Amino acid sequence: MTPTIAKTAFVLLAVGWWVMRIPHVRRSRRTPVARSARGWREITLLTISTTGLGIIPFLYIATGFPKVAAYPFQPVQASIGIAVAIAALVMFRLTHKALGRNWSVSLEVRENHKLVTDGIYRYVRHPMYTAFWLWAVAQALLLPNFVAGFSGIVGFGTLYLFRVAQEERLMIEAFGEPYRTYMARTSRLIPWLI
Ligand SMILES: C[S@@+](CC[C@H](N)C(=O)[O-])C[C@H]1O[C@@H](n2cnc3c(N)ncnc32)[C@H](O)[C@@H]1O
């Protein structure tokens, strides 16, 4: 394992992550929105998350910026990072498969939106956020730079902390008691833990 292999793996897996989303983004554009909580707050959170998970790590990979925050590359750490990134990708795929046409990048309920409680959603109610947390941890393990490595945890962590309760309120407004029952029997991110 070398720094170049680690960076290449990060870029290839990140491309896989975004490619996986393309058909869902296209389909969601064609499906009318019935209820939305997408305002300036949500757009700010999406911008913060995209900066931490996308712009900062790719700027680092392309230029080495900020060099002052670099620390020595650890091959074992990077190997674990690749394993965690693959786990994130698998989880991400499972969430898209289960959500299907109910997928949205933002806080939106679509026309004829169905509450999904099967597939990976049987075990936790925010498995896509589990996948994002895994990806942010993989970024920290793969990029030996305190800023570029940890910007994913800070960026996505900010989105998660300010969004998750609001998303649950939206789902209660849209689905009522069935979502409350679903909440009562599932954890948010890790089965039986959190
Ligand atoms: C970016 S997705 C994230 C979904 C979920 N929070 C997760 O982490 O797997 C956000 C959209 O998914 C939809 N959504 C969330 N949970 C859902 C569920 N159990 N069934 C159907 N749609 C859901 C909501 O409409 C929300 O706007």
Side-chain angles (χ1 to χ4, degrees), residues 104 106-108 113-114 116 121 126-129 167 171:
S104 230
S106 193
L107 295 186
E108 289 165 343
H113 200 116
K114 303 270 182 310
V116 176
Y121 285 81
H126 299 293
M128 196 179 293
Y129 298 154
E167 179 170 332
M171 297 304 283

Side-chain angles (χ1 to χ4, degrees), residues 21 95 99 102-109 113-117 121 125-129 163 167 170-171 175 179 182:
R21 283 210 133 164
T95 62
L99 273 186
N102 305 297
W103 180 88
S104 230
V105 74
S106 193
L107 295 186
E108 289 165 343
V109 173
H113 200 116
K114 303 270 182 310
L115 175 62
V116 176
T117 59
Y121 285 81
R125 59 185 184 275
H126 299 293
M128 196 179 293
Y129 298 154
R163 185 200 257 188
E167 179 170 332
L170 178 72
M171 297 304 283
F175 298 104
Y179 193 76
Y182 176 55

Side-chain angles (χ1 to χ4, degrees), residues 2-183:
T2 66
T4 308
I5 294 176
K7 282 183 192 170
T8 308
F10 180 80
V11 171
L12 291 178
L13 290 163
V15 169
W17 180 278
W18 289 109
V19 166
M20 214 182 269
R21 283 210 133 164
I22 291 172
H24 295 271
V25 172
R26 287 205 178 129
R27 185 169 46 193
S28 76
R29 284 198 189 124
R30 292 194 302 266
T31 317
V33 173
R35 195 185 284 256
S36 174
R38 189 175 185 147
W40 65 268
R41 183 179 187 272
E42 173 68 6
I43 290 166
T44 307
L45 290 174
L46 281 169
T47 306
I48 292 171
S49 183
T50 307
T51 304
L53 289 168
I55 295 170
I56 294 177
F58 282 95
L59 185 68
Y60 163 75
I61 286 169
T63 67
F65 178 84
K67 291 194 170 43
V68 69
Y71 64 86
F73 178 77
Q74 308 288 340
V76 174
Q77 177 184 318
S79 303
I80 297 170
I82 291 180
V84 176
I86 291 170
L89 229 66
V90 170
M91 189 83 179
F92 199 55
R93 170 77 195 117
L94 292 175
T95 62
H96 283 72
K97 192 164 170 255
L99 273 186
R101 68 175 297 288
N102 305 297
W103 180 88
S104 230
V105 74
S106 193
L107 295 186
E108 289 165 343
V109 173
R110 309 223 157 241
E111 276 180 12
N112 302 316
H113 200 116
K114 303 270 182 310
L115 175 62
V116 176
T117 59
D118 57 3
I120 190 74
Y121 285 81
R122 187 189 306 262
Y123 307 104
V124 280
R125 59 185 184 275
H126 299 293
M128 196 179 293
Y129 298 154
T130 309
F132 270 97
W133 276 117
L134 284 171
W135 181 266
V137 169
Q139 179 179 326
L141 291 166
L142 277 166
L143 306 183
N145 183 287
F146 288 112
V147 173
F150 285 91
S151 65
I153 291 177
V154 174
F156 177 69
T158 307
L159 173 94
Y160 177 80
L161 289 178
F162 286 97
R163 185 200 257 188
V164 71
Q166 196 188 3
E167 179 170 332
E168 290 178 349
R169 278 197 297 277
L170 178 72
M171 297 304 283
I172 289 169
E173 276 170 34
F175 298 104
E177 206 44 43
Y179 193 76
R180 284 186 201 278
T181 310
Y182 176 55
M183 280 178 83

